[in-house]
C-alpha cells in the first residue's frame, strides 16, 4: 500500500525485537494470545514490512461514539496528552468484542457502556494521571484481529491505579462482550 494514501489518523502498533517501548509483561486476559514480543512501537500510517516473530496491528482514531457532549467537555477539561516526559510507563491493550455486542443498536450499546457499566465515569477518575488514545479497527477495509487498540501512558506511581481501573472495567457488563483481550505493560527509556 502507498503510505501517501494513508490517513493521518491511521496508526500501526508493531511488536517485535525493536521499538521505543520495552514489554514488561504480556498477559492474555481473554481469547487467543498474541505471540510474545520484547518491544513495541507505533508508527503513523500503514506498516507493510514483515516482522519476524512479531505482529503489526492497525487502527484509526475516530469520532466519539458514546460520549455525551457534557462527558466530552468534562474529559477535555482534565485530560493530558500522551508522551509527557514523566510518563515512562504504558499499556497497549488490544480488545475484540463479540458478535452479540455488534448486533446491538447504538442506543443499547451506550446504555451498557455508560448507564450500566460506567466506563467513562470510572475512567475519568484516573485523569489526568493516565493519558490515552483509542484506535478503532473494524472498518479499515481489511480484516484486523482486534476491534480496538487501546493505548495509555502514565508515570511510575500510577501503575497500581491503572491496575485498579482495569480491574473495575473488567468486572462490568460491558466486558462480558469482550472475547479477546491481551494486556501488554510497557516501559520506555
Ligand atoms: C483513563 C481512563 C479511561 C477513560 C477516561 C476512558 C474513556 C473512554 C471513552 C470516553 C470512550 C468512548 C469513546 C466514544 O465516545 O466513542 C472509551 C472507549 C473505550 N475504552 Fe476507555 N477509557 C479509559 C480506560 C480504558 C481502559 C483501561 C480500557 C481497556 C482495558 C479501555 C477500553 C476502551 C474500549 C475498548 C473502548 C471502545 C468501546 C466501544 O466502542 O465499544 N478504556 N473509553
Amino acid at each position: 500500500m502507498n503510505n501517501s494514501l494513508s490517513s493521518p489518523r491511521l496508526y500501526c502498533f508493531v511488536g517485535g525485537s525493536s521499538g521505543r517501548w520495552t514489554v514488561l509483561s504480556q498477559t492474555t486476559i481473554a481469547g487467543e494470545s498474541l505471540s510474545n514480543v520484547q518491544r513495541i512501537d507505533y508508527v503513523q500510517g500503514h506498516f507493510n514490512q514483515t516482522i519476524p516473530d512479531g505482529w503489526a496491528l492497525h487502527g484509526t482514531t475516530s469520532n466519539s461514539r458514546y460520549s455525551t457532549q457534557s462527558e466530552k467537555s468534562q474529559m477535555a477539561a482534565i485530560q493530558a496528552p500522551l508522551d509527557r516526559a514523566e510518563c515512562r510507563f504504558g499499556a497497549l491493550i488490544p480488545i475484540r468484542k463479540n458478535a452479540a455486542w455488534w448486533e446491538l443498536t447504538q442506543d443499547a450499546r451506550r446504555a451498557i457502556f455508560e448507564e450500566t457499566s460506567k466506563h467513562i465515569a470510572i475512567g475519568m477518575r484516573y485523569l489526568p494521571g493516565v493519558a490515552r488514545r483509542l484506535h478503532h479497527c473494524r472498518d479499515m477495509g481489511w480484516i484486523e484481529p482486534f476491534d480496538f487498540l487501546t493505548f495509555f501512558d502514565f508515570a511510575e506511581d500510577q501503575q497500581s491505579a491503572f491496575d485498579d481501573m482495569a480491574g473495575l472495567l473488567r468486572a462490568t457488563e460491558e466486558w462480558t462482550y469482550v472475547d479477546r483481550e491481551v494486556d501488554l505493560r510497557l516501559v520506555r527509556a
Side-chain angles (χ1 to χ4, degrees), residues 49-122:
Q49 296 165 34
T50 315
I51 308 127
D53 301 325
W55 35 258
L57 302 172
H58 291 89
T60 175
T61 59
S62 188
N63 55 287
S64 58
R65 268 68 160 165
Y66 300 114
S67 319
T68 62
Q69 189 60 54
S70 150
E71 288 159 350
K72 201 171 169 177
S73 307
Q74 287 177 59
M75 285 188 288
I78 50 172
Q79 72 198 1
L82 291 170
D83 272 332
R84 287 169 288 175
E86 70 276 19
C87 292
R88 293 177 43 250
F89 288 77
L92 170 65
I93 308 181
I95 286 177
R96 190 180 69 197
K97 287 181 169 175
N98 64 18
W101 174 261
W102 295 111
E103 275 159 22
L104 294 170
T105 55
Q106 183 69 20
D107 57 335
R109 287 200 297 265
R110 156 74 197 188
I112 295 165
F113 179 82
E114 194 57 26
E115 276 66 38
T116 312
S117 302
K118 313 257 179 255
H119 186 126
I120 299 173
I122 291 170

